[in-house]
Every structure is written in structure tokens, then in C-alpha cells.
Amino acid sequence: MKKIIFTDNAPAPIGPYNQAILKGNTLYTSGQIAIHPKTGELITANIKDETQQVMQNMKAVLEAAGMTFENVVKTTIFIVNMDDFGTINTVYGSYFNEKTAPARETVQVTCLPKNVNIEISMIAVL
């Protein structure tokens, strides 16, 4: 049986999906974009702040499932501009211990929902 994970501390889904699904001891998150969960405002002024908001949203989803970034085993990052990789990597890296960081891929795409610049999804295990 799967368990739906939802928290008001992350943006509500904007389509027919959930913030995350817990199946057994594995959490599958939906992609998070930089929507402030309390105001609904898109944070897109600069890639640093945008990435920070995405990671805060992801932190809230992980916490709702009783997990932290230490539980993350795989991350997928979608970005619109590979030139932003360095800044994204610095913000993203601040949430992980480098020695236990998850596997990851970063993919450049042409467009993301609501024309944001970054979207991140994760898989975590208890």
C-alpha cells in the first residue's frame, strides 16, 4: 500500500499528482519548483534564491515523511540554463554532507512548469 505525503510547508500540487509517495521504506518525491508555500509567489529573481526555495520545499516534503536530506539516495535536477550549474551546485551542495551525498543527474531542458529555471525531484529511503 502506498502512503500519500502532504505538507502545507511545501507548495500544493498544481496538477494531478502528490508531493510525494511513500512505498515501503522508499519515498518518491514529485519535482519541486520555487513556489513559496505560504504566499504562492514564484521565486525567480535569481538562480541562487530560486534553488534555495526549491531545496526548502524539498526539505519540507522530506520532513513530512519523517526524513532528512541524509535519507536521499537519488536526485534529479532539471535546469533551463547549464550556465547556472555552478550556482545551483553550490546551493544544492550546502544541504548535503559531501561524503554521503546522493547519486544525481543534472539535465538541461528547454522549458519547465511556470517557466521556472530549475526543478528538483528526489528518492529517499528510511
CSV table of all heavy atoms in Angstrom, one decimal, residues 25-53:
chain,number,residue,atom,x,y,z
A,25,ASN,N,9.7,1.5,2.5
A,25,ASN,CA,10.6,2.4,3.1
A,25,ASN,C,11.2,3.4,2.2
A,25,ASN,O,12.2,4.1,2.5
A,25,ASN,CB,11.7,1.7,3.9
A,25,ASN,CG,12.7,0.9,3.0
A,25,ASN,OD1,12.3,0.7,1.8
A,25,ASN,ND2,13.8,0.5,3.5
A,26,THR,N,10.6,3.5,1.0
A,26,THR,CA,11.2,4.4,-0.1
A,26,THR,C,10.2,5.5,-0.4
A,26,THR,O,9.0,5.3,-0.6
A,26,THR,CB,11.4,3.6,-1.4
A,26,THR,OG1,12.3,2.5,-1.1
A,26,THR,CG2,12.1,4.5,-2.4
A,27,LEU,N,10.7,6.7,-0.4
A,27,LEU,CA,10.0,7.9,-0.7
A,27,LEU,C,10.3,8.4,-2.1
A,27,LEU,O,11.5,8.6,-2.4
A,27,LEU,CB,10.3,9.0,0.3
A,27,LEU,CG,9.6,10.4,0.1
A,27,LEU,CD1,8.1,10.2,0.6
A,27,LEU,CD2,10.2,11.5,0.9
A,28,TYR,N,9.3,8.6,-2.9
A,28,TYR,CA,9.4,9.2,-4.3
A,28,TYR,C,8.8,10.6,-4.3
A,28,TYR,O,7.6,10.7,-4.1
A,28,TYR,CB,8.7,8.3,-5.3
A,28,TYR,CG,9.2,6.9,-5.3
A,28,TYR,CD1,8.6,5.9,-4.4
A,28,TYR,CD2,10.3,6.5,-6.1
A,28,TYR,CE1,9.1,4.6,-4.4
A,28,TYR,CE2,10.8,5.2,-6.1
A,28,TYR,CZ,10.1,4.2,-5.2
A,28,TYR,OH,10.6,2.9,-5.2
A,29,THR,N,9.6,11.6,-4.4
A,29,THR,CA,9.0,12.9,-4.4
A,29,THR,C,8.7,13.4,-5.9
A,29,THR,O,9.4,13.0,-6.8
A,29,THR,CB,10.0,14.0,-3.8
A,29,THR,OG1,11.1,14.2,-4.7
A,29,THR,CG2,10.6,13.5,-2.5
A,30,SER,N,7.7,14.2,-6.0
A,30,SER,CA,7.5,14.9,-7.2
A,30,SER,C,8.5,16.0,-7.3
A,30,SER,O,9.1,16.4,-6.4
A,30,SER,CB,6.1,15.5,-7.2
A,30,SER,OG,5.1,14.5,-7.3
A,31,GLY,N,8.7,16.5,-8.5
A,31,GLY,CA,9.6,17.7,-8.7
A,31,GLY,C,9.0,18.9,-8.0
A,31,GLY,O,7.8,19.2,-8.0
A,32,GLN,N,10.0,19.6,-7.4
A,32,GLN,CA,9.6,20.9,-6.7
A,32,GLN,C,10.2,22.0,-7.5
A,32,GLN,O,11.3,21.9,-8.0
A,32,GLN,CB,10.2,20.9,-5.3
A,32,GLN,CG,9.5,20.0,-4.3
A,32,GLN,CD,8.1,20.6,-4.0
A,32,GLN,OE1,7.9,21.8,-3.8
A,32,GLN,NE2,7.1,19.7,-3.8
A,33,ILE,N,9.4,23.1,-7.6
A,33,ILE,CA,9.8,24.3,-8.2
A,33,ILE,C,9.8,25.4,-7.1
A,33,ILE,O,9.4,25.1,-6.0
A,33,ILE,CB,9.0,24.7,-9.5
A,33,ILE,CG1,7.5,24.9,-9.1
A,33,ILE,CG2,9.2,23.6,-10.5
A,33,ILE,CD1,6.7,25.4,-10.3
A,34,ALA,N,10.2,26.6,-7.4
A,34,ALA,CA,10.4,27.6,-6.4
A,34,ALA,C,9.2,28.4,-6.2
A,34,ALA,O,9.1,29.6,-6.4
A,34,ALA,CB,11.6,28.5,-6.9
A,35,ILE,N,8.1,27.7,-5.7
A,35,ILE,CA,6.9,28.4,-5.3
A,35,ILE,C,7.0,28.5,-3.7
A,35,ILE,O,7.2,27.5,-3.0
A,35,ILE,CB,5.7,27.6,-5.7
A,35,ILE,CG1,5.5,27.6,-7.2
A,35,ILE,CG2,4.4,28.3,-5.0
A,35,ILE,CD1,4.4,26.7,-7.7
A,36,HIS,N,6.8,29.7,-3.2
A,36,HIS,CA,6.8,29.9,-1.7
A,36,HIS,C,5.5,29.3,-1.2
A,36,HIS,O,4.4,29.7,-1.7
A,36,HIS,CB,6.9,31.4,-1.4
A,36,HIS,CG,7.2,31.6,0.1
A,36,HIS,ND1,6.2,31.5,1.0
A,36,HIS,CD2,8.3,31.9,0.8
A,36,HIS,CE1,6.6,31.7,2.2
A,36,HIS,NE2,8.0,31.9,2.1
A,37,PRO,N,5.6,28.3,-0.3
A,37,PRO,CA,4.4,27.6,0.1
A,37,PRO,C,3.3,28.5,0.8
A,37,PRO,O,2.1,28.2,0.8
A,37,PRO,CB,4.9,26.5,1.0
A,37,PRO,CG,6.2,27.0,1.5
A,37,PRO,CD,6.8,27.8,0.4
A,38,LYS,N,3.7,29.5,1.5
A,38,LYS,CA,2.8,30.4,2.2
A,38,LYS,C,2.1,31.5,1.4
A,38,LYS,O,1.0,31.8,1.5
A,38,LYS,CB,3.5,31.0,3.4
A,38,LYS,CG,4.1,30.0,4.4
A,38,LYS,CD,3.1,29.1,5.0
A,38,LYS,CE,3.7,28.1,6.0
A,38,LYS,NZ,3.0,26.9,6.1
A,39,THR,N,2.9,32.0,0.4
A,39,THR,CA,2.4,33.1,-0.4
A,39,THR,C,2.0,32.7,-1.8
A,39,THR,O,1.3,33.4,-2.4
A,39,THR,CB,3.5,34.2,-0.5
A,39,THR,OG1,4.6,33.7,-1.3
A,39,THR,CG2,4.0,34.7,0.8
A,40,GLY,N,2.5,31.6,-2.2
A,40,GLY,CA,2.2,31.1,-3.6
A,40,GLY,C,3.0,31.9,-4.6
A,40,GLY,O,2.9,31.6,-5.8
A,41,GLU,N,3.9,32.7,-4.2
A,41,GLU,CA,4.8,33.5,-5.1
A,41,GLU,C,5.9,32.7,-5.7
A,41,GLU,O,6.5,31.8,-5.0
A,41,GLU,CB,5.4,34.7,-4.2
A,41,GLU,CG,6.4,35.5,-5.0
A,41,GLU,CD,7.2,36.5,-4.1
A,41,GLU,OE1,7.0,36.5,-2.9
A,41,GLU,OE2,8.0,37.2,-4.7
A,42,LEU,N,6.1,32.9,-7.0
A,42,LEU,CA,7.2,32.2,-7.7
A,42,LEU,C,8.5,33.0,-7.3
A,42,LEU,O,8.5,34.2,-7.5
A,42,LEU,CB,7.0,32.2,-9.2
A,42,LEU,CG,6.4,31.0,-9.8
A,42,LEU,CD1,6.1,31.2,-11.3
A,42,LEU,CD2,7.2,29.8,-9.6
A,43,ILE,N,9.5,32.3,-6.9
A,43,ILE,CA,10.8,33.0,-6.6
A,43,ILE,C,11.7,32.7,-7.8
A,43,ILE,O,12.3,31.6,-7.9
A,43,ILE,CB,11.4,32.3,-5.3
A,43,ILE,CG1,10.4,32.3,-4.2
A,43,ILE,CG2,12.7,33.1,-5.0
A,43,ILE,CD1,9.9,33.7,-3.7
A,44,THR,N,11.9,33.7,-8.7
A,44,THR,CA,12.7,33.5,-9.9
A,44,THR,C,13.6,34.7,-10.2
A,44,THR,O,14.1,34.8,-11.3
A,44,THR,CB,11.8,33.3,-11.1
A,44,THR,OG1,10.9,34.4,-11.3
A,44,THR,CG2,11.0,32.0,-11.0
A,45,ALA,N,13.8,35.6,-9.2
A,45,ALA,CA,14.6,36.8,-9.4
A,45,ALA,C,16.1,36.4,-9.8
A,45,ALA,O,16.7,37.1,-10.6
A,45,ALA,CB,14.6,37.7,-8.2
A,46,ASN,N,16.6,35.4,-9.2
A,46,ASN,CA,17.9,34.9,-9.5
A,46,ASN,C,18.0,33.4,-9.1
A,46,ASN,O,17.3,32.9,-8.3
A,46,ASN,CB,19.0,35.7,-8.7
A,46,ASN,CG,18.9,35.6,-7.2
A,46,ASN,OD1,19.2,34.5,-6.7
A,46,ASN,ND2,18.5,36.6,-6.6
A,47,ILE,N,19.0,32.7,-9.8
A,47,ILE,CA,19.0,31.3,-9.7
A,47,ILE,C,19.4,30.8,-8.3
A,47,ILE,O,19.0,29.7,-7.8
A,47,ILE,CB,20.0,30.7,-10.8
A,47,ILE,CG1,19.7,29.1,-10.9
A,47,ILE,CG2,21.4,31.0,-10.5
A,47,ILE,CD1,18.4,28.7,-11.3
A,48,LYS,N,20.2,31.6,-7.5
A,48,LYS,CA,20.5,31.2,-6.2
A,48,LYS,C,19.3,31.2,-5.3
A,48,LYS,O,19.1,30.2,-4.6
A,48,LYS,CB,21.5,32.2,-5.6
A,48,LYS,CG,22.0,31.9,-4.2
A,48,LYS,CD,23.0,32.9,-3.7
A,48,LYS,CE,23.4,32.6,-2.2
A,48,LYS,NZ,24.3,33.5,-1.7
A,49,ASP,N,18.5,32.2,-5.3
A,49,ASP,CA,17.3,32.3,-4.5
A,49,ASP,C,16.3,31.2,-4.9
A,49,ASP,O,15.6,30.6,-4.1
A,49,ASP,CB,16.6,33.6,-4.5
A,49,ASP,CG,17.4,34.7,-3.8
A,49,ASP,OD1,18.4,34.3,-3.0
A,49,ASP,OD2,17.1,35.9,-4.0
A,50,GLU,N,16.2,31.0,-6.2
A,50,GLU,CA,15.3,30.0,-6.8
A,50,GLU,C,15.6,28.6,-6.3
A,50,GLU,O,14.8,27.9,-5.9
A,50,GLU,CB,15.3,30.1,-8.3
A,50,GLU,CG,14.2,29.3,-9.0
A,50,GLU,CD,14.0,29.6,-10.4
A,50,GLU,OE1,14.7,30.5,-11.0
A,50,GLU,OE2,13.3,28.8,-11.1
A,51,THR,N,16.9,28.3,-6.4
A,51,THR,CA,17.4,27.0,-6.0
A,51,THR,C,17.2,26.8,-4.5
A,51,THR,O,16.8,25.7,-4.0
A,51,THR,CB,18.9,26.8,-6.3
A,51,THR,OG1,19.0,27.0,-7.7
A,51,THR,CG2,19.4,25.4,-5.9
A,52,GLN,N,17.5,27.9,-3.7
A,52,GLN,CA,17.2,27.8,-2.2
A,52,GLN,C,15.8,27.5,-1.9
A,52,GLN,O,15.5,26.7,-1.0
A,52,GLN,CB,17.6,29.2,-1.6
A,52,GLN,CG,17.6,29.2,-0.1
A,52,GLN,CD,18.7,28.5,0.6
A,52,GLN,OE1,19.8,28.5,0.1
A,52,GLN,NE2,18.4,27.9,1.7
A,53,GLN,N,14.8,28.1,-2.6
A,53,GLN,CA,13.4,27.9,-2.4
A,53,GLN,C,13.1,26.4,-2.7
A,53,GLN,O,12.3,25.8,-2.0
A,53,GLN,CB,12.5,28.9,-3.1
A,53,GLN,CG,11.1,28.7,-2.8
A,53,GLN,CD,10.8,29.0,-1.4
A,53,GLN,OE1,11.0,30.1,-0.9
A,53,GLN,NE2,10.2,28.1,-0.6
